[in-house]
Amino acid sequence: VERAACCRAIATALQTPIPAEAKAWMLKLSAFAAGQELVPVVAGLLRDSDSLVRESARCALQQIPLVTAAEALRSALREASDPAWKAALTLALGARRDTASVPLIKPLLSAEAPAGEAAFVALGQIADAEAAAALLAALPKARVALRLLAAEACLKCAEQMLRQNQP
């Protein structure tokens, strides 16, 4: 009950015109206690005009262990046009090891940096059969500048899969 009340108070405060630094601080705190009641508000901040607020919202959603948080990140990635923001969202999904995002991340393997680099890293972290297949298919086609990163992602993926006894 107290956690939910705290989340509602944070959600209310995040929707008021307060300084970006205050929102960033509240978003950092929300990652530790956030529940379903806070995710839609944090997800809305992924479109904030202030880059500090956007990045803080991304970090919070990366840490919130709810499916709806991952869905919000995937939705933001679908809408993103800025390559650096695409990369940040991709890395957040990779850090979450969000297997549902693999089909969304695979096309980014051929993107220019930084989104292309982030796609290799994220799929290496996700480390399921679909991510492994995508990495192996992309490795021989990777631009020279990305081949080392691509190979490292393949190795990390294989290592994770071995730890989980995946074929």
Side-chain angles (χ1 to χ4, degrees):
V1 175
E2 290 175 8
R3 186 207 51 78
C6 181
C7 286
R8 283 191 297 277
I10 291 171
T12 299
L14 286 171
Q15 296 176 75
T16 61
I18 58 174
E21 293 78 9
K23 285 185 180 184
W25 179 77
M26 282 189 274
L27 286 163
K28 187 173 183 175
L29 293 178
S30 73
F32 298 106
Q36 197 60 45
E37 60 279 329
L38 194 53
V39 171
V41 173
V42 177
L45 294 175
L46 291 172
R47 293 182 297 278
D48 196 271
S49 61
D50 188 284
S51 61
L52 175 63
V53 174
R54 263 193 326 272
E55 178 61 13
S56 298
R58 183 196 65 84
C59 290
L61 290 169
Q62 178 180 320
Q63 298 299 320
I64 297 171
L66 297 171
V67 172
T68 52
E71 289 169 350
L73 289 167
R74 287 193 299 269
S75 178
L77 180 57
R78 278 186 209 94
E79 297 170 7
S81 58
D82 176 58
W85 185 234
K86 277 186 181 184
L89 293 164
T90 299
L91 290 172
L93 289 162
R96 288 180 62 91
R97 302 198 60 226
D98 181 52
T99 58
S101 69
V102 173
L104 189 59
I105 295 172
K106 280 194 301 191
L108 297 176
L109 289 169
S110 60
E112 294 295 319
E117 295 168 352
F120 279 106
V121 171
L123 291 176
Q125 291 173 317
I126 292 170
D128 71 348
E130 188 179 5
L135 287 169
L136 289 174
L139 182 60
K141 300 177 207 165
R143 292 183 308 282
V144 174
L146 287 181
R147 285 200 186 131
L148 182 59
L149 180 66
E152 185 179 345
C154 287
L155 290 172
K156 285 183 179 183
C157 182
E159 183 181 6
Q160 286 286 349
M161 291 177 76
L162 284 172
R163 276 195 213 133
Q164 298 166 6
N165 292 320
Q166 291 184 43

